[in-house]
Amino acid sequence: EPEVTQTPSHQVTQMGQEVILRCVPISNHLYFYWYRQILGQKVEFLVSFYNNEISEKSEIFDDQFSVERPDGSNFTLKIRSTKLEDSAMYFCASEGQAPEAFFGQGTRLTVV
Amino acid sequence: KQEVTQIPAALSVPEGENLVLNCSFTDSAIYNLQWFRQDPGKGLTSLLLIQSSQREQTSGRLNASLDKSSGRSTLYIAASQPGDSATYLCAVTYSGGGADGLTFGKGTHLIIQP
């Protein structure tokens, strides 16, 4: 069964460093998303991406964040200068013609 | 700002019981509603999607209903099993076309006692 895959599963980084979280969405999907979940809190929408550009972004998605689809399969989230409060689980999701979102297993980002 | 609320926050029941999880949303103009399951430290598994024109969806022992006018959805789990223990999340979206992200509730943490 097709699935969304994310790498790495866990990333530890020092405050101020840049991190890139990687996702391979389901192959024939058109819409791509990043969400985050701070420990004990709700899953929060960060950004949606369609047709090689950002469709929507939340207030959380500030200038420190960027997304890219560098080739036909990968979808990345970059955080330029990590802060302690960026520590969270980051989920990638994709959606095809049917409006059902499929999520990856997440990357746990720990900023120290 | 759209809010999604899930009640109860936690629920513990003996194996075999039928149970209902509740979700409410502040703006009834939703496009669709999706129920997910999240196991500890894991990703989200889609359980059921209800589009705004539908009133319910069923998958195996799960049945989800949607009442847009009252801003409510329920997830009914029949004949619960220990393997159903997880956090159940409700999420809504307010436009089609994939541009809009999902707005999530905080979830109901469900424990099924063997």
Side-chain angles (χ1 to χ4, degrees):
Chain A
E1 185 174 329
E3 60 180 16
V4 177
T5 58
Q6 291 186 242
T7 55
S9 56
H10 192 190
Q11 172 106 33
V12 180
T13 189
Q14 289 201 328
M15 192 167 52
Q17 295 296 305
E18 174 184 286
V19 293
I20 298 176
L21 310 183
R22 301 181 191 279
C23 170
V24 179
I26 294 173
S27 63
N28 60 347
H29 280 187
L30 303 171
Y31 306 96
F32 313 111
Y33 307 85
W34 283 101
Y35 292 82
R36 80 171 185 190
Q37 185 178 32
I38 295 171
L39 188 63
Q41 297 188 22
K42 293 184 179 185
V43 177
E44 300 173 290
F45 167 72
L46 292 178
V47 64
S48 61
F49 193 86
Y50 170 70
N51 202 25
N52 286 319
E53 61 183 22
I54 290 174
S55 297
E56 293 286 338
K57 58 184 180 179
S58 71
E59 295 172 349
I60 304 167
F61 194 88
D62 61 21
D63 292 344
Q64 292 298 313
F65 292 89
S66 62
V67 289
E68 254 191 343
R69 188 154 161 83
D71 53 42
S73 59
N74 291 285
F75 181 50
T76 62
L77 174 70
K78 182 192 292 186
I79 309 175
R80 288 190 182 80
S81 178
T82 49
K83 304 186 283 280
L84 293 176
E85 54 265 39
D86 293 327
S87 295
M89 195 78 154
Y90 288 81
F91 293 109
C92 173
S94 70
E95 197 174 297
Q97 294 287 358
E100 183 174 6
F102 293 89
F103 281 70
Q105 290 298 299
T107 292
R108 180 170 299 284
L109 177 65
T110 303
V111 182
V112 297
Chain B
K1 185 179 176 182
Q2 314 303 341
E3 291 287 338
V4 177
T5 304
Q6 292 188 247
I7 295 172
L11 181 63
S12 180
V13 301
E15 179 179 3
E17 283 201 5
N18 303 325
L19 56 100
V20 175
L21 308 182
N22 296 289
C23 172
S24 61
F25 39 94
T26 51
D27 186 342
S28 62
I30 63 168
Y31 184 73
N32 62 44
L33 183 145
Q34 201 167 348
W35 282 94
F36 294 89
R37 168 189 173 132
Q38 184 176 30
D39 292 283
K42 302 292 185 183
L44 281 65
T45 300
S46 179
L47 297 173
L48 289 163
L49 168 75
I50 309 178
Q51 299 189 55
S52 61
S53 58
Q54 299 171 325
R55 292 192 63 85
E56 68 176 332
Q57 285 286 339
T58 298
S59 175
R61 294 182 294 108
L62 305 180
N63 175 275
S65 68
L66 174 64
D67 184 344
K68 278 186 60 178
S69 60
S70 66
R72 296 176 190 275
S73 175
T74 61
L75 179 66
Y76 175 82
I77 302 177
S80 58
Q81 302 170 358
D84 295 331
S85 297
T87 297
Y88 289 81
L89 303 176
C90 167
V92 299
T93 187
Y94 287 91
S95 68
D100 196 18
L102 290 160
T103 301
F104 281 84
K106 205 167 180 183
T108 293
H109 181 54
L110 176 65
I111 296 174
I112 307 298
Q113 306 153 9

